[in-house]
Amino acid sequence: MDPAVTKRVAETKSDLAQTPISATELMTRQMSFKRIQRGFPIAAKCLMLCGYLHADFISEEILHKALNIQETEFKKAIDLLKKLKMIEPTATNAIYTIAPQLQEFIRTQDEIELTQARLKLLADVLYNLYPFNADKPTEIAKVKELQPHFEALASHLDAYIIPGKGQIAPLADQQVQIFSVLTYIYASYSKDPRRLIHYAEKAVNVEVQYPGYFYEVKANCYSKAANAHRELGEMSKAIDKYKQCLGIYSIIGETYVMLKVSAVYHDLINIYDNFGDLRQVLATLYKKLEFLQLLPTKSTVDIVRCYQTLGNLHRKLGETKKAVECDEKAWEFYSKFAAATELDKANYLTNLAYSYIVDAQKVNVNKAIELQSKALEIHLRINNSPSNIANAYCNLGLAYCVLGPEQEAVDCFNETFKILETLPQQDTPFVLAIRIEATIGMGNAQRALGNADDAIICHQNALKLIAEKNKSKQYLAQGHYELGQDCLALKQYKEAIWNLGQARMLYYLINPQHPLIAVIESRLEAVIAEEKKDRKRPLEVSATSTPISSPSQSGSSGPDTPSQMSGSSTRTPSPLSIAPRETFFKPEEKVQATKPSAFVYYELGQNLLASRRYQEAICNFEQAKKLYYLIDPLHQAIVLIDKDLEIAKKGETGVNRVFNPILGPF
């Protein structure tokens, strides 16, 4: 045996019990122990086993199973130990205590080989006694009874851990067993995430002779450790543990673990979604989809949901062509599903229709109207949910905004608002999404009809609704973009520049390669050129003022969210949110959080400078400079910001200034 292990075994003590005895009593019991060893081998063996268990909760059941002898012989041994006061009975039947000092003395009398044999025996006994998936009161009580002994045994097995890879400890299998059970206990009963992680890491790091035997055990430990890290807010560690869990499950490759794999993918996707890392969500979803399609028994519902979520994510990133492909796949799978209900069919038709409507190429809008009309007919026939009907009318309004006639769109949106008036005052996320998008759509229809003033009111109301209740970057960007278009129609160039700049910034935060960024930049260049020709035009609307009017009623369905199989929604609002401008600057933030915030201030300062709003431009440039300084005192962006600050402070108009498109985070 490794000399270091031998030393640790010799030094191992149990400090879990708190029942000290006097030195005289200890000496008396030590002498009794010697006599028992000479004349009563079964009682001696029983007492030796007690030396490795928790001192206060020793049960007859554990000792009897470990000794594996007849009941009468076992009773004689127990009676002798009680008579000599080597163990003390408790108020609970068949539960005994032993003095910790005596335990320590007993362990010193064991040879290393015998110690290993006793630990192996006790580990196997405890593992077999543990009630996995305990849910009945008696089983839970059993878990609590055994937990102290698992803890005691774990402290003894720690002495046999060999650091480093490639070396197998003498009791490696027993270490994995005991550490993994303690992981389950802290996950399900004791609810201590730190202790759970402690034992899970020990279990997965033990090198065993036959790794395949413990693959599933270690995968479960990784999964439970990942859940604990999530509970503690340690998301990066949780992601790492989930990936290691998936790696082991992929090695197992058995059908019975496939449901667990799907659950791990689901947890991993949720973490990336909370991070706002949509690319990682997409990559993980595609892996999950690939896995689902390899299953011997395919789950149509899970595959359809996966395709729909992929479509919604692609749409959020501005990749509308890929979104359409995913939604068409979802409908292709679900249309062949034998257990499909009318409600589900209507919801999936609505989702596909919406995908066609918002597709940048606008080649299937007529088909979208046809699909949405079928879905509306089903919803009206089964009359299951007013919100589903309102959503259908909203989508039809959006389609008519694209194809015309615009008055048809206005009528559909009015029908949407009429239905929403009948719903409870407290909007659900789905109803709020309908309210927002119908309000934006109504503004677009009014602008197309030549009512730009009414369009501005609608889009301002939508932005107010988003800022107060939804806070989705997607909707904020859409609202500012449309409001910029309204202002441009009224030749309110400063307001158009500010709103288009806000839209560009938000789309960049969603996806730096968002297709609409190039469109907005091109529009901004044209608007700035027009504004320079008309510098003396009076300011009609404060571009930075908070919209004060609210729509009489508004509604919408979200552009970036999945349909629910059994629910009434085809879209749910984006989980992302954007903070008010004044909250971006937080010096205590990490560099990773500081970088995009600095870029936001810099871009906003450029827009304000182009609009000749020098004081606001100066404020934003100074904030950007502070944030870039936190990243790197010699950051190249600071030089550019200083030049812009100089222009703003002198109050120069920047006649020869060329519009600077998005530079990206430096």
Side-chain angles (χ1 to χ4, degrees):
M1 183 187 293
D2 190 307
V5 173
T6 305
K7 183 180 178 182
R8 288 203 303 275
V9 172
E11 294 174 349
T12 300
K13 297 181 181 180
S14 174
D15 58 354
L16 299 174
Q18 303 294 332
T19 316
I21 58 175
S22 67
T24 305
E25 289 176 327
L26 177 60
M27 186 175 296
T28 302
R29 296 183 189 187
Q30 288 174 347
M31 293 173 64
S32 299
F33 173 71
K34 294 292 185 182
R35 291 205 308 272
I36 293 170
Q37 275 188 311
R38 290 193 296 270
F40 305 94
I42 294 177
K45 188 176 180 180
C46 184
L47 194 57
M48 294 297 291
L49 292 173
C50 291
Y52 298 94
L53 295 171
H54 190 285
D56 290 339
F57 306 98
I58 300 173
S59 70
E60 287 186 2
E61 181 183 25
I62 296 172
L63 296 174
H64 195 187
K65 285 187 176 293
L67 291 171
N68 193 25
I69 57 176
Q70 293 183 357
E71 181 73 20
T72 53
E73 292 181 352
F74 176 71
K75 284 294 183 184
K76 288 179 182 178
I78 291 292
D79 289 341
L80 176 62
L81 295 177
K82 287 193 291 184
K83 182 178 180 181
L84 296 175
K85 295 187 177 181
M86 305 302 284
I87 58 175
E88 300 282 347
T90 64
T92 305
N93 187 35
I95 301 292
Y96 303 95
T97 65
I98 184 172
Q101 299 98 314
L102 181 58
Q103 280 188 309
E104 183 180 345
F105 171 75
I106 289 170
R107 291 196 298 273
T108 61
Q109 305 305 301
D110 245 349
E111 297 177 3
I112 293 295
E113 290 73 15
L114 289 175
T115 297
Q116 289 183 26
R118 296 190 209 286
L119 289 174
K120 183 179 185 304
L121 176 62
L122 286 171
D124 292 340
V125 168
L126 290 175
Y127 191 78
N128 291 328
L129 285 174
Y130 182 78
F132 288 92
N133 302 317
D135 53 3
K136 298 177 182 178
T138 53
E139 293 175 334
I140 295 173
K142 188 72 173 177
V143 170
K144 293 180 179 178
E145 176 189 322
L146 293 174
Q147 182 178 351
H149 299 303
F150 279 107
E151 296 272 10
L153 213 57
S155 69
H156 298 306
L157 290 171
D158 276 344
Y160 293 89
I161 293 176
I162 298 178
K165 294 289 183 181
Q167 298 188 66
I168 299 174
L171 297 171
D173 290 1
Q174 285 69 38
Q175 288 172 343
V176 176
Q177 287 178 336
I178 299 304
F179 296 151
S180 63
V181 169
L182 284 167
T183 301
Y184 301 153
I185 289 173
Y186 281 111
S188 304
Y189 307 104
S190 296
K191 302 293 184 184
D192 186 337
R194 286 295 176 204
R195 295 294 289 172
L196 185 160
I197 293 167
H198 170 74
Y199 284 116
E201 288 180 346
K202 284 188 174 184
V204 299
N205 289 327
V206 173
E207 296 282 345
V208 292
Q209 187 172 0
Y210 303 104
Y213 183 74
F214 291 107
Y215 275 153
E216 189 175 357
V217 172
K218 291 193 174 185
N220 289 336
C221 287
Y222 274 127
S223 177
K224 293 182 187 304
N227 293 336
H229 281 301
R230 283 183 68 185
E231 185 180 341
L232 294 168
E234 300 166 351
M235 298 305 178
S236 297
K237 292 181 180 179
I239 289 171
D240 182 58
K241 292 293 187 295
Y242 280 133
K243 287 182 176 179
Q244 289 173 307
C245 176
L246 287 171
I248 294 178
Y249 279 143
S250 66
I251 296 173
I252 298 174
E254 297 291 340
T255 305
Y256 72 92
V257 301
M258 295 310 178
L259 288 177
K260 296 181 179 180
V261 175
S262 184
V264 173
Y265 273 122
H266 178 77
D267 291 333
L268 197 53
I269 288 166
N270 282 340
I271 292 179
Y272 285 131
D273 195 28
N274 291 335
F275 273 164
D277 192 342
L278 301 186
R279 289 297 175 190
Q280 283 290 358
V281 175
L282 271 177
T284 309
L285 266 171
Y286 274 114
K287 288 179 183 178
K288 180 178 180 180
L289 179 62
E290 182 182 355
F291 157 75
L292 290 172
Q293 292 177 328
L294 290 174
L295 290 178
T297 305
K298 293 181 174 59
S299 171
T300 301
V301 172
D302 287 339
I303 291 174
V304 168
R305 282 176 174 167
C306 209
Y307 271 121
Q308 274 203 307
T309 308
L310 283 167
N312 292 320
L313 286 169
H314 280 303
R315 193 154 45 246
K316 183 184 292 185
L317 292 167
E319 300 163 351
T320 54
K321 184 178 179 181
K322 291 182 179 179
V324 168
E325 292 173 359
C326 290
D327 287 324
E328 286 178 337
K329 278 285 187 182
W331 174 245
E332 178 187 341
F333 269 90
Y334 195 75
S335 60
K336 300 173 184 177
F337 185 38
T341 65
E342 276 201 304
L343 173 59
D344 289 336
K345 284 182 179 179
N347 285 336
Y348 282 111
L349 284 170
T350 296
N351 195 74
L352 182 57
Y354 181 80
S355 192
Y356 286 145
I357 293 166
V358 299
D359 180 17
Q361 298 182 14
K362 308 297 182 187
V363 294
N364 289 310
V365 181
N366 281 317
K367 191 173 181 180
I369 292 175
E370 178 187 346
L371 294 176
Q372 189 59 78
S373 298
K374 287 181 181 178
L376 178 59
E377 181 184 345
I378 294 172
H379 284 308
L380 290 171
R381 184 172 69 250
I382 62 180
N383 195 26
N384 69 301
S385 169
S387 59
N388 276 339
I389 298 171
N391 186 38
Y393 275 118
C394 179
N395 278 355
L396 285 172
L398 295 174
Y400 286 127
C401 278
V402 175
L403 285 183
E406 287 77 12
Q407 190 56 50
E408 287 284 343
V410 171
D411 293 341
C412 286
F413 290 132
N414 282 332
E415 192 66 32
T416 301
F417 296 138
K418 181 180 176 182
I419 295 170
L420 292 177
E421 287 178 5
T422 66
L423 299 179
Q425 291 296 317
Q426 186 66 33
D427 286 344
T428 64
F430 175 58
V431 171
L432 179 61
I434 299 173
R435 203 177 288 282
I436 291 169
E437 197 159 330
T439 307
I440 294 174
M442 178 66 89
N444 295 347
Q446 293 293 347
R447 186 175 66 235
L449 290 169
N451 304 324
D453 288 322
D454 291 340
I456 283 179
I457 293 172
C458 287
H459 290 137
Q460 283 182 331
N461 291 337
L463 282 171
K464 183 177 181 181
L465 196 61
I466 298 164
E468 290 178 353
K469 297 184 178 181
N470 182 276
K471 302 187 186 301
S472 163
K473 282 190 182 75
Q474 182 80 12
Y475 283 145
L476 283 170
Q478 187 180 355
H480 278 295
Y481 177 74
E482 297 299 349
L483 188 54
Q485 299 281 73
D486 300 337
C487 295
L488 184 58
L490 293 174
K491 297 186 178 181
Q492 297 174 354
Y493 298 121
K494 295 183 180 67
E495 293 78 1
I497 289 170
W498 188 83
N499 280 286
L500 291 173
Q502 288 289 92
R504 181 182 63 169
M505 173 191 74
L506 290 162
Y507 279 125
Y508 184 90
L509 293 177
I510 295 169
N511 177 12
Q513 285 80 43
H514 201 293
L516 280 177
I517 292 175
V519 175
I520 295 171
E521 286 178 358
S522 176
R523 188 65 53 88
L524 269 169
E525 290 180 8
V527 175
I528 289 173
E530 288 295 322
E531 194 271 340
K532 286 177 181 177
K533 296 177 184 178
D534 195 16
R535 292 191 180 279
K536 294 183 179 180
R537 180 180 179 85
L539 186 65
E540 298 178 10
V541 179
S542 173
T544 58
S545 61
T546 303
I548 55 173
S549 55
S550 60
S552 56
Q553 291 293 336
S554 335
S556 147
S557 47
D560 51 8
T561 53
S563 298
Q564 305 301 318
M565 284 297 302
S566 58
S568 61
S569 67
T570 58
R571 295 184 292 274
T572 58
S574 166
L576 299 172
S577 61
I578 183 166
R581 279 189 296 164
E582 61 269 22
T583 65
F584 271 121
F585 180 49
K586 295 181 179 178
E588 71 276 8
E589 284 182 345
K590 294 180 180 178
V591 166
Q592 289 86 340
T594 303
K595 204 169 187 178
S597 300
F599 171 65
V600 167
Y601 274 115
Y602 178 68
E603 284 294 290
L604 189 53
Q606 282 190 310
N607 294 334
L608 292 165
L609 182 59
S611 300
R612 294 184 295 152
R613 288 158 53 184
Y614 302 119
Q615 205 61 40
E616 292 172 82
I618 290 169
C619 177
N620 282 278
F621 284 140
E622 286 177 345
Q623 294 285 52
K625 186 175 178 180
K626 289 178 185 177
L627 291 169
Y628 276 122
Y629 187 87
L630 289 177
I631 299 169
D632 180 4
L634 302 177
H635 203 293
Q636 59 178 328
I638 295 174
V639 178
L640 299 176
I641 294 170
D642 282 336
K643 291 180 180 179
D644 284 330
L645 263 172
E646 185 180 355
I647 294 172
K649 286 178 179 178
K650 289 181 179 179
E652 295 179 2
T653 58
V655 174
N656 298 320
R657 178 180 172 81
V658 178
F659 179 75
N660 187 9
I662 284 188
L663 300 175
F666 297 94

